[in-house]
Amino acid sequence: MTAPVSAPPLPVGAIAITALGMTTSGGLDVASACASARAGATHWTQLDVEEPDLDTLESVPLKGHAVRGLTDGFEGIGRLLRLGDAALSDLMTSAKLEPAHHARTGFHLCLPGHFHATWLLQLELLGQGPAPMDVARAEFARHFEEQRQWRDKLETSLVPSLLSMQDLSIPPALRSCFHGGPAIFAQAVEQAIQRLRLRELDRCIVGGIDTCVHGDALTTLHTLGLLRTEEQPSGFFPGEASAFVLLERADALRARSAPAEATVTAVATRPAAHDRAADKPEHGVALSAAVEACLGDPRRKPNLVVVNLNGDEFRAREFGMALVRMREAGLPAELRYWYPPEPFGELGAATGAVSACLAVRAFTRSYAESDQALILLMGDDAARGALLLDDIPTQSRSTR
């Protein structure tokens, strides 16, 4: 074992990642989940929805990536709470936050949005023939009110319960929820960094929780034809996960003698011209623009890209077109790519935090083979995001 080497002081204004927490089908903590992904292990679960097998004329259950044991028997807020508590507990184990730190700590949580449910309603109304405008308005008004009530319930029930279970007394004014798809994590990080630099906070826990393997979410994705089945090779396997990172301003982490595991060098979000419900091809303009914003400095040359390609043809086509544009933004031609949905399934709002944990653990355990990692986030909604993480090569490495 090599002797620890002290890290040089971080530059003024640097935003460090000082702790991680993650729970996925591959493991209940960040160390085992990332080790599972690195080993290429896949943990399958039979889901509640069945599909006919045309060869045997029998029904077979769909496959997905559920966190077996932890979420069995739980649904709704209870299931999200189980996932979130396990990941947040994992983060708190390494964060070493004292109660005195809570008053200056923020909490940004990414939660599922309603894009797929809204898209399905739109298709159902169209499938019934041209509906009178007042009928369509009434249906959408009812739908959006239900979604608003669900978001309010998550923010007023899930978040306080999650913090209470970890004895985190974070003031309500320092909490924010972000509802959407994979790219919402970039927005949450962007706002956290802004608050850190304005000194509203000293540190901020940023993470996401989502499940696509159960209940209405699974039924909706299946009805939309987005899942991979025996008869449909283009599509994704659903998953569920929760992950968190602790962002901390350089002077704040020095004040409590906390080690940094990586830094967030750049983050950018861009809206696409339209979402998937528009039934038009997305040419990768928004994603490549986010990448260009992150790689504006010529010294930024990541050799590792973590991108949430999940087997879906629509997403793969967009990424292919964006890749051509990204070459012009300075992205090297020879790159290594990691795909979080491959071991864990489609993770929705948890995708960004899981991707960040995978990259930082690779830095920490010295198998990234790059001192920078570019995280790309795409979804079926119009949001696109990118983050650039930097390794801290001379720091004392964690043994977690």
Side-chain angles (χ1 to χ4, degrees):
M1 182 175 178
T2 58
V5 180
S6 298
L10 293 176
V12 176
I15 303 298
I17 296 176
T18 58
L20 309 170
M22 184 163 77
T23 295
T24 69
S25 60
L28 300 184
D29 59 76
V30 68
S32 58
C34 291
S36 175
R38 184 186 181 194
T42 304
H43 304 268
W44 295 108
T45 303
Q46 292 185 342
L47 306 180
D48 295 335
V49 174
E50 294 188 343
E51 274 274 311
D53 186 325
L54 298 183
D55 293 330
T56 64
L57 301 181
E58 296 179 352
S59 294
V60 294
L62 297 181
K63 294 194 303 183
H65 302 266
V67 184
R68 290 177 292 185
L70 181 71
T71 58
D72 292 350
F74 289 86
E75 58 185 30
I77 287 181
R79 195 177 187 102
L80 295 175
L81 186 59
R82 289 284 287 175
L83 290 166
D85 179 54
L88 191 56
S89 175
D90 185 34
L91 177 134
M92 293 301 293
T93 299
S94 60
K96 302 293 189 288
L97 291 179
E98 301 294 336
H101 298 134
H102 296 179
R104 297 283 299 166
T105 300
F107 187 73
H108 285 194
L109 182 61
C110 300
L111 292 166
H114 59 76
F115 172 80
H116 291 111
T118 303
W119 183 16
L120 180 59
L121 175 60
Q122 178 183 340
L123 293 176
E124 288 174 343
L125 290 174
L126 289 173
Q128 296 169 5
M133 190 61 70
D134 57 338
V135 173
R137 284 201 191 98
E139 283 294 315
F140 277 107
R142 175 195 56 78
H143 169 74
F144 288 125
E145 176 59 21
E146 289 177 353
Q147 294 300 324
R148 184 194 64 78
Q149 291 177 7
W150 173 242
R151 289 196 303 270
D152 289 347
K153 192 174 182 180
L154 288 174
E155 296 181 16
T156 58
S157 177
L158 172 66
V159 173
S161 297
L162 188 58
L163 296 176
S164 175
M165 292 168 75
Q166 296 301 323
D167 295 323
L168 276 166
S169 53
I170 296 177
L174 303 186
R175 310 172 194 168
S176 294
C177 289
F178 302 78
H179 299 266
I184 203 71
F185 178 74
Q187 182 182 337
V189 169
E190 204 170 35
Q191 292 193 22
I193 290 175
Q194 182 180 20
R195 298 178 80 177
L196 288 168
R197 287 181 172 155
L198 291 174
R199 297 190 172 268
E200 297 176 14
L201 309 169
D202 289 336
R203 63 197 61 81
C204 188
I205 299 169
V206 186
I209 313 171
D210 207 342
T211 177
C212 305
V213 299
H214 185 77
D216 291 342
L218 176 62
T219 303
T220 298
L221 294 171
H222 179 248
T223 304
L224 287 169
L226 299 179
L227 301 183
R228 189 181 307 183
T229 68
E230 294 293 332
E231 303 302 321
Q232 180 171 303
S234 174
F236 59 79
F237 293 111
E240 62 181 354
S242 179
F244 294 92
V245 299
L246 178 60
L247 303 183
E248 200 155 2
R249 208 174 51 248
D251 61 302
L253 69 91
R254 280 195 294 268
R256 68 183 191 95
S257 301
E261 298 198 30
T263 59
V264 181
T265 303
V267 57
T269 57
R270 295 291 186 274
H274 43 73
D275 57 39
R276 187 164 181 172
D279 197 25
K280 297 178 181 178
E282 174 54 44
H283 299 295
V285 176
L287 183 64
S288 59
V291 171
E292 187 173 358
C294 287
L295 300 183
D297 189 324
R299 292 172 296 179
R300 299 173 184 173
K301 298 289 184 182
N303 293 315
L304 174 62
V305 177
V306 184
V307 55
N308 62 321
L309 293 183
N310 60 4
D312 177 71
E313 184 180 352
F314 184 90
R315 191 175 296 183
R317 189 184 306 117
E318 176 186 351
F319 179 68
M321 288 187 280
L323 196 56
V324 176
R325 299 174 183 273
M326 288 189 287
R327 296 283 187 247
E328 301 174 1
L331 203 64
E334 298 297 326
L335 292 169
R336 297 168 63 237
Y337 291 94
W338 290 355
Y339 311 106
E342 187 173 3
F344 304 135
E346 174 59 38
L347 302 178
T351 303
V354 166
S355 299
C357 287
L358 287 171
V360 175
R361 280 295 295 178
F363 290 156
T364 303
R365 303 298 292 174
S366 302
Y367 60 85
E369 299 181 20
S370 174
D371 58 3
Q372 295 180 321
L374 180 65
I375 295 172
L376 306 182
L377 300 169
M378 302 180 287
D380 290 332
D381 58 6
R384 303 291 182 268
L387 299 93
L388 184 65
L389 307 184
D390 267 35
D391 188 12
I392 302 176
T394 58
Q395 82 161 66
S396 174
R397 288 306 187 187
S398 167
T399 59
R400 292 182 69 224

